[in-house]
């Protein structure tokens, strides 16, 4: 399948997009996206936060890791982490202290 092949692409943003597409079709895993929170490339960390924000209920177990990105050294990662937490509403409530510090 073409989407599954994209998981092996050299660009981590393409890999993340593929994981999200697979998740939305019931074949993916939010855990696969969460592994990018620690990636050396800030674009990958930003894309991972954005993806977790869009994944819905499957992403809730990873909101603590998203909250850690609020202190990322790159502002666009912080922005997407904040947005991701906001997208999860009440599920993100335990992490609101990190948003206040941001």
């Amino acid at each position: 399948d073409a989407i599954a092949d994209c998981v092996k692409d050299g660009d981590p943003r393409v890999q993340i997009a593929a994981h999200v597409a697979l998740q939305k079709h019931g074949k993916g895993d939010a855990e696969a996206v969460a592994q990018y929170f620690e990636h050396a490339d800030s674009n990958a960390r930003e894309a991972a936060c954005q993806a977790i924000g869009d994944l819905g209920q499957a992403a809730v177990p990873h909101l603590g890791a998203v909250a850690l990105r609020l202190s990322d050294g790159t502002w666009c990662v912080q922005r997407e982490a904040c947005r991701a937490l906001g997208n999860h509403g009440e599920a993100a409530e335990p992490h609101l202290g990190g948003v206040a510090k941001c």
Side-chain angles (χ1 to χ4, degrees), residues 6 9-20 36 39 41-48:
C6 290
D9 191 274
D11 185 337
R13 293 169 296 178
V14 173
Q15 295 169 11
I16 292 166
H19 286 298
V20 170
Y36 293 92
H39 199 280
D41 182 348
S42 64
N43 291 314
R45 296 191 309 275
E46 177 186 8

Side-chain angles (χ1 to χ4, degrees), residues 65-87:
V66 171
L68 294 175
R69 294 295 96 209
L70 293 170
S71 61
D72 194 280
T74 305
W75 70 268
C76 57
V77 176
Q78 295 173 351
R79 177 195 65 216
E80 288 305 319
C82 189
R83 187 187 69 75
L85 292 171
N87 284 355

Side-chain angles (χ1 to χ4, degrees), residues 20 23-24 28-31 33-34 50-64 66 84-95:
V20 170
Q23 176 71 29
K24 289 185 177 183
D29 180 6
E31 181 71 36
V33 173
Q50 183 178 20
I52 291 293
D54 294 339
L55 279 179
Q57 204 57 27
V60 170
H62 305 288
L63 295 181
V66 171
L85 292 171
N87 284 355
H88 286 283
E90 289 183 19
E93 192 172 325
H95 310 292

